Amino acid sequence: ACTDVTVTSPLDHRLQGCTVRERAVLLALALAGTSLPMRVIHRAIEHATTAQVTDALSVLEAKGLVMSHGDSWQPSHDLILERMIALSTAAEQEATHAGLAEAMLAAGQSTGQIAATRHFLSARLEARAARAFTHIVGRARRSGDPRHARDLAADVVGARVGSRDVDVLVRAVPWWQRSARTVRH
């Protein structure tokens, strides 16, 4: 009864009426901020089989909360993302960010490494973020990218050079690899 009194939005009622697994899928999609392929969603949701995630997505689609584009899924409206994030706890968000980061790394794409670094930082897993970032810097050096690691980190996290997240990432990169001009002897 208390929940019904405090929840005034019909959308909030619909979101809170979802099962735990459906809410986990919705939160993963909300925190990703973009459409996700089924394999990434499945890997991001702890203790769920592919069939369980597929069932949750089917139910959410029937409720009008998500939509598919081929093998990718996304919330059907930005308001759903906002409300799902607002209705979740900080611990749920951190766990979901961690799951998304691992799933994106497993996907093996360079854009996945960038997103994984951001998700690790959001999950407060700085050591994992730093390891992912060192791979990004290594790939940049191999491709001839001359930018300093500070600039790469700022691009990855979307923060200004000198921010705490940028500093955490740059400190993890060996000094000789921070700049394309530095030569290791």
Side-chain angles (χ1 to χ4, degrees):
C2 290
T3 302
D4 289 339
V5 172
T6 59
V7 177
T8 58
S9 164
L11 177 58
D12 288 1
H13 280 289
R14 289 178 67 202
L15 293 174
Q16 289 182 333
C18 291
T19 66
V20 171
R21 183 145 303 115
E22 291 165 2
R23 286 175 51 98
V25 168
L26 271 174
L27 185 58
L29 290 170
L31 292 175
T34 187
S35 62
L36 292 175
M38 176 62 180
R39 70 185 185 288
V40 172
I41 298 169
H42 171 250
R43 284 187 178 137
I45 307 301
E46 280 190 28
H47 313 295
T49 65
T50 303
Q52 291 169 327
V53 172
T54 301
D55 290 344
L57 285 166
S58 295
V59 170
L60 291 168
E61 186 176 34
K63 291 180 179 180
L65 297 172
V66 299
M67 57 187 178
S68 67
H69 300 285
D71 185 44
S72 293
W73 293 83
Q74 68 184 47
S76 55
H77 197 278
D78 289 347
L79 186 58
I80 294 168
L81 322 161
E82 294 168 12
R83 292 310 306 150
M84 193 62 230
I85 292 169
L87 292 171
S88 63
T89 66
E92 289 171 329
Q93 290 177 27
E94 286 180 9
T96 303
H97 276 298
L100 282 166
E102 294 294 348
M104 289 177 176
L105 279 181
Q109 299 172 335
S110 61
T111 55
Q113 282 187 326
I114 293 168
T117 302
R118 290 179 187 150
H119 285 295
F120 280 132
L121 287 170
S122 295
R124 299 179 191 209
L125 299 171
E126 293 175 346
R128 288 291 290 134
R131 277 195 301 260
F133 181 67
T134 58
H135 291 289
I136 293 168
V137 172
R139 190 178 62 248
R141 295 299 166 251
R142 286 188 300 278
S143 72
D145 188 335
R147 292 180 293 162
H148 193 279
R150 280 187 312 270
D151 298 322
L152 292 169
D155 287 349
V156 166
V157 298
R160 295 171 55 134
V161 170
S163 78
R164 183 181 184 292
D165 288 342
V166 169
D167 291 343
V168 164
L169 296 179
V170 172
R171 276 195 305 270
V173 177
W175 68 267
W176 55 268
Q177 202 175 22
R178 291 181 186 172
S179 172
R181 292 174 187 69
T182 307
V183 178
R184 184 176 166 189
H185 294 285

